[in-house]
Amino acid sequence: MNLEELSGLPPGAIDHFQREGIEELYPPQAAAVEAGATDGDSLVAAVPTASGKTMIAALSMLSAIERGGKALYIVPLRALASEKKAEFEAYEEFGVTVGVTTGNYESTSEWLATKDIIVATSEKVDSLVRNGADWLSDLTCVVSDEVHLIDDRNRGPTLEVTLAKLRRLNPGMQVVALSATVGNADEIADWLDAALVDTDWRPIDLQMGVHYGNALNFDDGSTHEVPVEGSEKQEAALVRDILEEGGSSLVFVNSRRNAEAAARRLGQVATREISDDERAELAGLAEAIREDSDTETSADLADCVEQGSAFHHAGLSSTQRTIVEDAFRDRLLKVISATPTLAAGVNTPARRVIVRDWRRFDPSAGGMAPLDVLEVHQMMGRAGRPGLDPYGEAVLLAKSHEDSQELFDRYIWADPEPVRSKLAAEPALRTHVLATIASGFARTREELLEFLEATLYASQSTEAGRLETVTETVLQYLESNDFIEREGGTEPTDDAASAFTSAADLATQQSSQGDERLEATSLGHTVSRLYLDPMSAAEIVHGLEDADERPTALGLYQLVSRTPDMYELYLRSGEDDTFGELFYEREAELLGDAPSEYEDDRFEDWLAALKTGKLLADWASEDDEDRLTERYKIGPGDLRGKVDTAEWLLGAAESLAAEIDSEWTVAVREARARVEHGVGEELLELVSVGGVGRKRARRLYEVGIEEPADLRSADKGVILSALKGAKTAETILENAGREDPSMDGVEPVTSASGGDTAASSRGSETPAASERDDDSQSSLGDF
DNA sequence: TTAAGGAGCATGTAGACAGCATGTC
DNA sequence: CTACATGCTCCTTAA
């Protein structure tokens, strides 16, 4: 289908696409148009990655806008939100406006109301629904990218419920669901009352194969010699082979450590094919990586990058990830070894994709479990860059002939698994049931069940009554924690929640409880709006209620670290002793009831939360990033992630404290501020001045400048001695509101000759730890 | 004497959304 | 119910 044949798009849109070199629609795109994508009809497009899914979304959204509507594009990751935003912003030249909103990149709701296209993560959309953003009811088109993630145990239910709510809000709305090729795209289409476009078509050919011995055998029967030389690994041979043709590769492995080790080895291969110009540019990137964070991980990554290779996993900071991804797309980096993060993230295609590890450690499976077909296909789908590569190659590695056969059967010839809703899991339901009640989607038990009937879960469920049973359990949980109130209907008896209740019993219960009114309490409303898991909220509320004295920072950090919203640090072998010891030292500070040491699992969790809490406390005692990453064996990205989550949870905890009239609101606020800035209590004032962070605040404090007022009155020479440059000093003084911020002609004054205040005698090597954090420092040390 | 290489053993394992209001070194 | 790469120590070997 030719682009010219399209109708209903905003004037200028077709011109725009033509200038981008698009003349013809790809077959799946044409099929989508025929299925009514540009007429406002709902559609599920299950097509491989990089075969023009975004264009299907764009055509649907643009035609909806041309009809006077408004479109929402839902993505699974923040990084994808910015990627899509950048893509759609090109439409501004023909007058279509774009806005983004995610947790960290905030736009006010009113501002979004004026935009034609809004890009958001699924959680953000859920949050907007809960908070009743009124523009949501103006939507005429919703695109859900990577809709197969509904299958995800953690985040899938959010997407599922959000789509159901948006559809309820806007009955005639067009839904465009973009999916990888999955086993049951038809079921998803049925659920969404949508047409289905399901195809394997790709714009560039993808060859899949298995490497074994010295040969690469493809699915089309062809064979390519790739000899493994000397002691090199299979993946090194494959990377070298394609690099000699000028192609880049992506190696997927199953652990961070493997990714780092592989990148180091592959650097030896890549460095041979790098020009002098490239080497200079890579050196610049390496420098940027080192500057972004001063840790061992960063140093290792920088060393690799100098060689033209890189690793990629969630331990990297987001800046570093972006640097690596961009450099790979610019063909500066020749190879990336990555954990599965990369397969799900932003677009980083390569000529050759090597899936080295197809088994992953899974404790629930008791050892290594094979990856899902869908997952492996997602990785393999990264092969081939449209317009750059003649074709893409995806290679699995076999160590034996049997392996080779198994890989063909399991991944190359196999169809991906079907998408199954995970909504009936209790953690998911408890969150979404509360939100559904709090935001007024259901006022009675009957309405609640009726709403849940509109989810994919209901349409897939074979086990009658399961959803009702779990829902009842969840309602009781919410009621007993004072998040909801139930009135009327039959009082639930013990066996009403029992899993042994027969279907017949349930039917009678439903009729008798059908008119039961459900209402969120004020606390329940707060929890829903704060986007907390009710169980997290309950834990925090109980913890705060339990505190007889002002909670310490460590106590609060451990408290938020043990909620289900915080991803706990893993307790390494030997660390149960270390943290067991810390537990006995600081037991009095911890909030709530500690499990007994004999309850193995729960005690382990408690200690793991203590470890996470201690990490946060160390951060808030100004320990350096590199010390922390080394001590806790984490990457810079993990540290920032933990700090970020703690900030969010403590912010929520502050609201909860206010809600329950806790007297510890200020203590929570202070703990939050300390973790946000990574400083001791005494620096909180200084750090509120623009341009002053944890490092500068400490240096200022050391020369006797303890609060913003001192910045206004103190001797400029003293201030300058604490800060490196005159320019930064001026900016800071200006931000502090000093009348004459100019540093012209001021010389740094060393020592405490500044006069009014005595300089602290503390060296910068031993940053002050606040309150009781001091004593643990020595006993825990660098374990 | 030393460097390199190999056997044997212990070790540990992927990912990252959300409130609110603005800015680190 | 299931694995496997890594990196250490300790030892052997070749020069």
Side-chain angles (χ1 to χ4, degrees):
Chain A
M1 181 183 277
N2 194 295
L3 212 56
E4 305 276 3
E5 297 170 48
L6 290 173
S7 60
L9 295 181
I14 291 181
D15 270 3
H16 169 85
F17 289 126
Q18 283 173 337
R19 269 200 306 283
E20 297 214 314
I22 302 171
E23 289 292 338
E24 282 284 310
L25 289 183
Y26 289 154
Q29 295 165 348
V33 170
E34 274 154 30
T38 51
D39 302 323
D41 295 338
S42 291
L43 175 77
V44 170
V47 294
T49 2
S51 40
K53 273 189 286 204
T54 308
M55 186 66 173
I56 296 178
L59 294 176
S60 311
M61 295 193 297
L62 291 175
S63 60
I65 291 162
E66 181 59 15
R67 287 190 299 271
K70 188 180 183 69
L72 174 67
Y73 192 101
I74 306 176
V75 291
L77 294 169
R78 290 182 197 167
L80 289 173
S82 9
E83 195 188 52
K84 290 302 166 196
K85 180 204 166 204
E87 228 171 310
F88 299 147
E89 264 174 352
Y91 308 153
E92 290 186 352
E93 70 171 39
F94 51 86
V96 170
T97 55
V98 183
V100 212
T101 175
T102 65
N104 60 347
Y105 185 62
E106 184 57 27
S107 316
T108 62
S109 201
E110 307 87 76
W111 183 70
L112 291 172
T114 67
K115 301 290 174 184
D116 298 317
I117 298 178
I118 290 148
V119 185
T121 55
S122 37
E123 283 76 9
K124 187 65 191 191
V125 178
D126 186 16
S127 167
L128 287 166
V129 172
R130 296 183 189 196
N131 288 287
D134 41 1
W135 54 265
L136 286 174
S137 48
D138 301 337
L139 292 174
T140 57
C141 174
V142 164
V143 179
S144 178
D145 200 0
E146 314 281 351
V147 81
H148 55 271
L149 290 173
I150 280 188
D151 193 79
D152 185 279
R153 187 157 289 288
N154 299 313
R155 297 178 56 208
T158 301
L159 178 57
E160 181 178 344
V161 167
T162 301
L163 283 177
K165 285 186 179 168
L166 288 175
R167 293 218 302 149
R168 165 72 79 90
L169 228 41
N170 305 311
M173 183 182 71
Q174 176 183 23
V175 179
V176 177
L178 308 175
S179 169
T181 37
V182 294
N184 60 339
D186 53 333
E187 263 180 64
I188 301 176
D190 277 352
W191 169 53
L192 293 171
D193 302 310
L196 176 64
V197 174
D198 191 355
T199 162
D200 282 340
W201 187 90
R202 292 176 50 104
I204 46 169
D205 200 32
L206 175 64
Q207 292 204 47
M208 293 182 282
V210 173
H211 183 259
Y212 166 57
N214 292 329
L216 180 45
N217 300 299
F218 286 108
D219 56 341
D220 61 3
S222 65
T223 297
H224 180 61
E225 276 294 301
V226 183
V228 177
E229 286 167 10
S231 61
E232 76 178 352
K233 308 247 177 186
Q234 276 174 291
E235 68 266 23
L238 286 159
V239 168
R240 185 166 46 75
D241 174 70
I242 204 78
L243 199 50
E244 282 163 5
E245 291 176 29
S248 56
S249 18
L250 211 50
V251 183
F252 284 105
V253 298
N254 65 3
S255 75
R256 294 179 177 191
R257 198 159 60 131
N258 287 348
E260 294 180 16
R264 212 165 19 245
R265 280 194 308 266
L266 292 169
Q268 319 257 314
V269 177
T271 194
R272 297 204 292 259
E273 303 284 334
I274 288 175
S275 69
D276 289 347
D277 285 357
E278 287 176 325
R279 203 170 295 278
E281 279 194 70
L282 287 167
L285 292 178
E287 193 45 43
I289 289 167
R290 290 195 185 92
E291 245 169 54
D292 173 67
S293 118
D294 172 30
T295 62
E296 216 184 313
T297 311
S298 311
D300 290 347
L301 179 61
D303 291 347
C304 287
V305 166
E306 280 171 347
Q307 316 262 297
S309 132
F311 53 87
H312 187 288
H313 57 61
L316 303 185
S317 75
S318 54
T319 315
Q320 293 172 344
R321 272 203 240 185
T322 312
I323 291 175
V324 168
E325 289 155 7
D326 290 349
F328 188 70
R329 226 169 299 137
D330 295 344
R331 316 180 75 171
L332 267 176
L333 287 173
K334 307 303 175 193
V335 53
I336 296 181
S337 63
T339 55
T341 358
L342 202 60
V346 297
N347 190 27
T348 47
R351 171 87 138 265
R352 181 174 275 173
V353 167
I354 301 161
V355 181
R356 191 191 78 177
D357 301 337
W358 52 279
R359 282 193 251 247
R360 172 174 50 212
F361 181 78
D362 178 3
S364 70
M368 298 302 266
L371 298 181
D372 285 348
V373 179
L374 180 56
E375 234 172 324
V376 171
H377 282 189
Q378 289 277 95
M379 294 175 187
M380 299 204 291
R382 297 270 140 162
R385 296 162 299 175
L388 283 173
D389 295 324
Y391 56 90
E393 289 178 358
V395 185
L396 291 150
L397 304 190
K399 288 185 195 60
S400 66
H401 189 263
E402 298 83 79
D403 259 13
S404 171
Q405 201 49 54
E406 177 173 5
L407 288 173
F408 266 102
D409 291 343
R410 186 186 276 277
Y411 294 117
I412 295 182
W413 307 131
D415 289 325
E417 297 80 6
V419 169
R420 309 287 313 175
S421 164
K422 302 290 187 290
L423 184 61
E426 219 179 292
L429 260 195
R430 107 189 137 218
T431 300
H432 292 294
V433 164
L434 176 60
T436 303
I437 296 169
S439 51
F441 271 86
R443 292 193 171 75
T444 65
R445 203 186 128 98
E446 193 179 16
E447 280 178 21
L448 177 64
L449 290 171
E450 188 192 306
F451 171 74
L452 293 172
E453 275 302 307
T455 59
L456 177 65
Y457 178 83
S459 74
Q460 287 186 329
S461 178
T462 48
E463 203 183 331
R466 162 129 173 88
L467 195 60
E468 287 86 336
T469 315
V470 190
T471 303
E472 180 51 39
T473 315
V474 162
L475 284 174
Q476 288 194 20
Y477 174 85
L478 294 175
E479 187 182 27
S480 67
N481 280 288
D482 208 19
F483 295 137
I484 60 165
E485 275 167 2
R486 310 168 74 173
E487 275 171 39
T490 320
E491 277 302 305
T493 57
D494 276 350
D495 46 79
S498 153
F500 304 106
T501 314
S502 73
D505 284 350
L506 267 167
T508 45
Q509 260 172 46
Q510 256 174 280
S511 55
S512 59
Q513 298 185 357
D515 55 345
E516 182 185 42
R517 286 186 54 77
L518 301 171
E519 205 169 327
T521 61
S522 159
L523 179 62
H525 275 288
T526 303
V527 172
S528 172
R529 269 188 292 104
L530 289 172
Y531 211 78
L532 284 177
D533 182 327
M535 192 175 263
S536 297
E539 190 84 35
I540 292 171
V541 165
H542 294 151
L544 289 175
E545 281 172 343
D546 183 70
D548 306 320
E549 295 171 31
R550 188 183 204 267
T552 64
L554 182 72
L556 290 167
Y557 296 152
Q558 197 265 355
L559 176 64
V560 294
S561 296
R562 59 182 210 245
T563 65
D565 278 310
M566 176 78 91
Y567 218 77
E568 276 169 10
L569 289 178
Y570 171 80
L571 218 48
R572 290 160 187 277
S573 70
E575 285 186 352
D576 33 359
D577 288 345
T578 320
F579 286 99
E581 212 172 292
L582 181 68
F583 168 66
Y584 290 115
E585 270 172 48
R586 316 279 297 259
E587 195 174 356
E589 287 179 50
L590 303 184
L591 306 169
D593 298 321
S596 136
E597 204 173 333
Y598 303 102
E599 290 177 89
D600 266 6
D601 285 0
R602 289 195 53 216
F603 192 66
E604 280 259 329
D605 282 351
W606 187 267
L607 288 186
L610 180 58
K611 177 180 176 182
T612 315
K614 184 68 169 82
L615 167 70
L616 295 166
D618 287 352
W619 166 252
S621 304
E622 295 162 55
D623 278 6
D624 284 329
E625 189 186 28
D626 62 331
R627 263 185 81 179
L628 293 176
T629 52
E630 195 191 324
R631 183 183 298 165
Y632 293 90
K633 303 248 185 331
I634 55 176
D638 301 299
L639 174 60
R640 292 176 201 187
K642 287 282 172 301
V643 167
D644 201 51
T645 309
E647 231 183 288
W648 166 59
L649 283 171
L650 287 163
E654 193 189 328
S655 304
L656 287 176
E659 179 71 40
I660 61 168
D661 282 325
S662 166
E663 51 188 318
W664 310 127
T665 316
V666 177
V668 176
R669 175 157 54 233
E670 193 178 290
R672 195 202 66 87
R674 284 190 54 198
V675 88
E676 176 186 350
H677 300 288
V679 294
E681 191 183 0
E682 69 276 20
L683 297 188
L684 283 178
E685 294 239 19
L686 276 180
V687 103
S688 68
V689 175
V692 181
R694 65 198 308 241
K695 294 279 160 68
R696 288 175 184 168
R698 176 52 65 192
R699 282 205 300 272
L700 286 167
Y701 196 85
E702 274 165 6
V703 298
I705 294 171
E706 303 188 351
E707 48 185 278
D710 296 341
L711 279 171
R712 272 171 253 133
S713 59
D715 184 272
K716 283 183 182 173
V718 175
I719 294 173
L720 193 56
S721 74
L723 303 168
K724 294 268 153 59
K727 189 78 197 78
T728 38
E730 278 179 21
T731 316
I732 287 168
L733 288 190
E734 206 171 316
N735 291 339
R738 189 161 180 148
E739 298 200 344
D740 52 335
S742 166
M743 278 283 166
D744 288 348
V746 178
E747 286 300 315
V749 180
T750 47
S751 87
S753 56
D756 55 339
T757 38
S760 159
S761 58
R762 284 192 192 105
S764 56
E765 289 306 300
T766 52
S770 81
E771 9 157 17
R772 268 150 285 200
D773 289 344
D774 280 328
D775 50 4
S776 70
Q777 213 71 13
S778 52
S779 66
L780 199 61
D782 291 82
F783 48 83

